[in-house]
Amino acid sequence: MALIQYLTQIHLDFGASSLLPQECARIGMSRPLVITDEGVRAAGVLAQALSAWGAGKAPPVFDQTPSNPTEAAVRQAVKLYQMGQCDGLIAIGGGSSIDLAKGVAIAATHPGALKTYATIEGGSPRITDAAAPVIAVPTTAGTGSEVARGAIIIVDDGRKLGFHNWVLMPKVAICDPDLTLALPARLTAATGMDAIAHCMETFMSAAVNPPADGIALDGLERGWRHIERAARDGLDRDARWHMMSTSMQGALAFQKGLGCVHSLSHSLGGVNPRLHHGTLNALFLPAVVRFNAGAESMQLERRLPRMAHAMGLGACDERGDAIAEAIKDMNRRLDLPGGLAEIGVRSEQFEPIIDGAMADHCHKTNPRLATRDDYRAMLEASM
């Protein structure tokens, strides 16, 4: 039986961040802690997002979110949360800040090591409704974490683990494209391909969720049509709006499940936390599309031709070659790396990457179950 849930409130429009104070009041959050990173603060985006509070009235801020959130950073933020007797969290930033806020929501209200609550450790049911409420304000158009029930955090033992429970879903998502206008071109491209990967991979998943399929296809069409414009001209407001929508739609859809792209990206991101998740997704997509082409559900549901149509590619062969080559070409046009070797990945790292991919929570929701040899072939094809 398919369980279909879309559970949060979303504001999507220019200037939507002005609603922050009233949304805090609506959900009963009177002493929030803001989670962000130094880059968002330095760019003036944090001040822009908090401007509705007025001078001197904004809530306290933790701005030490690393590019890949860690359990150590969660502990730092929890100390500030407890010192301020806070009653909720506002995440302002990319997926890292939003995921860190979800980690704080767990750790500030639940005992023990964070890994106790990881999905792969059977920890999802241990996360209770005692978790602190989160309001999410994305400043990139990529991860969609603002409408997702999960977070990805590197725990103390070095693993990059997923944490999933419906109580982690932000109570409100405030999607204000104004906050993305200053995003650099390379980051616009990488986060945009992350959003597109979410739409594509969740559409390929064999899980049954027709609303998610529809949302994913529409998001793919928007993202594919507007990502180059957004990267070329950051002040293109129409392109920024559509990319923000693509990001949100990809995450609404991936409640259905992801697959090998994310298994590999999560694992490699744990091996080398300096690598950007969206860039890795962009690099892995072509090989995974070709691998997934052999899945029975892909054939029965004509998923490759339907994706090709959304991408404006016309007819597509059943091996996924046209889609895979179009993604590679898009990566080149966006000035993203041409392969894993270009970002320092070496073949000697393959075995630990495969270990992590096999254990990742996205591994089993791929439409075709991958073996170690399959993952090795995907890595080699992505070099």
Side-chain angles (χ1 to χ4, degrees):
M1 180 179 294
L3 176 63
I4 301 170
Q5 300 187 79
Y6 294 108
L7 297 180
T8 200
Q9 178 170 301
I10 303 165
H11 297 282
L12 171 62
D13 205 358
F14 291 96
S17 55
S18 65
L19 301 173
L20 257 176
Q22 75 181 53
E23 287 301 318
C24 283
R26 184 181 65 82
I27 68 173
M29 191 187 295
S30 60
R31 297 184 306 280
L33 173 66
V34 174
I35 303 291
T36 190
D37 64 56
E38 291 177 322
V40 170
R41 185 194 280 275
V45 176
L46 176 66
Q48 182 182 354
L50 296 178
S51 60
W53 262 284
K57 295 180 181 179
V61 174
F62 175 84
D63 65 0
Q64 297 300 302
T65 302
S67 57
N68 283 281
T70 63
E71 187 172 357
V74 167
R75 280 195 297 273
Q76 286 181 286
V78 166
K79 288 180 182 177
L80 191 57
Y81 184 93
Q82 293 172 338
M83 285 174 54
Q85 297 183 312
C86 297
D87 60 0
L89 298 140
I90 300 172
I92 301 176
S96 296
S97 293
I98 299 172
D99 281 7
L100 188 75
K102 293 175 184 177
V104 175
I106 299 169
T109 54
H110 294 71
L114 195 58
K115 68 179 181 181
T116 306
Y117 304 96
T119 302
I120 202 72
E121 299 284 346
S124 294
R126 301 183 191 122
I127 304 172
T128 72
D129 57 10
V134 176
I135 293 176
V137 186
T139 61
T140 65
T143 71
S145 190
E146 68 273 9
V147 292
R149 71 186 190 280
I152 305 295
I153 297 171
I154 300 174
V155 296
D156 287 341
D157 63 17
R159 290 180 296 165
K160 194 171 188 179
L161 301 183
F163 298 80
H164 299 85
N165 189 293
W166 288 108
V167 302
L168 298 179
M169 176 78 73
K171 304 301 181 188
V172 188
I174 296 180
C175 300
D176 184 349
D178 270 334
L179 303 182
T180 70
L181 295 178
L183 203 64
R186 180 66 70 90
L187 195 54
T188 296
T191 55
M193 285 304 296
D194 190 16
I196 286 170
H198 292 157
C199 292
M200 295 182 75
E201 191 162 37
T202 199
F203 183 72
M204 289 187 285
S205 171
V208 177
N209 193 322
D213 287 344
I215 291 168
L217 273 185
D218 182 82
L220 172 59
E221 182 178 3
R222 290 176 191 275
W224 197 258
R225 190 154 35 97
H226 291 92
I227 187 170
E228 282 188 274
R229 281 174 50 189
R232 184 173 60 248
D233 178 7
L235 298 179
D236 185 327
R237 290 168 64 84
D238 182 60
R240 289 295 194 186
W241 190 97
H242 283 286
M243 291 311 299
M244 181 67 82
S245 184
T246 295
S247 177
M248 177 266 294
Q249 288 176 247
L252 283 179
F254 74 47
Q255 312 302 338
K256 175 186 169 187
L258 292 164
C260 290
V261 170
H262 281 75
S263 295
L264 287 164
S265 292
H266 291 158
S267 181
L268 180 48
V271 171
N272 185 351
R274 295 186 300 276
L275 299 178
H276 188 272
H277 175 71
T279 300
L280 294 180
N281 283 349
L283 295 180
F284 284 130
L285 258 174
V288 174
V289 166
R290 286 189 166 107
F291 173 72
N292 285 350
E296 182 180 6
S297 62
M298 294 281 286
Q299 301 293 329
L300 291 175
E301 296 287 333
R302 300 187 67 254
R303 296 201 179 271
L304 289 173
R306 291 162 71 189
M307 285 200 303
H309 179 75
M311 297 163 70
L313 302 179
C316 175
D317 66 14
E318 294 300 325
R319 296 183 303 175
D321 290 338
I323 293 174
E325 289 305 313
I327 295 166
K328 287 183 177 182
D329 186 54
M330 179 66 81
N331 289 341
R332 283 191 291 269
R333 298 204 305 271
L334 293 172
D335 197 29
L336 291 174
L340 296 175
E342 195 173 321
I343 56 176
V345 178
R346 306 181 311 278
S347 58
E348 307 90 82
Q349 298 172 298
F350 282 5
E351 293 312 308
I353 295 170
I354 294 168
D355 289 342
M358 294 289 291
D360 189 76
H361 63 276
C362 294
H363 168 66
K364 292 184 179 179
T365 51
N366 199 68
R368 181 182 174 195
L369 197 60
T371 65
R372 294 187 68 89
D373 286 343
D374 292 328
Y375 275 127
R376 192 173 295 106
M378 287 182 245
L379 284 163
E380 289 171 352
S382 303
M383 288 294 283

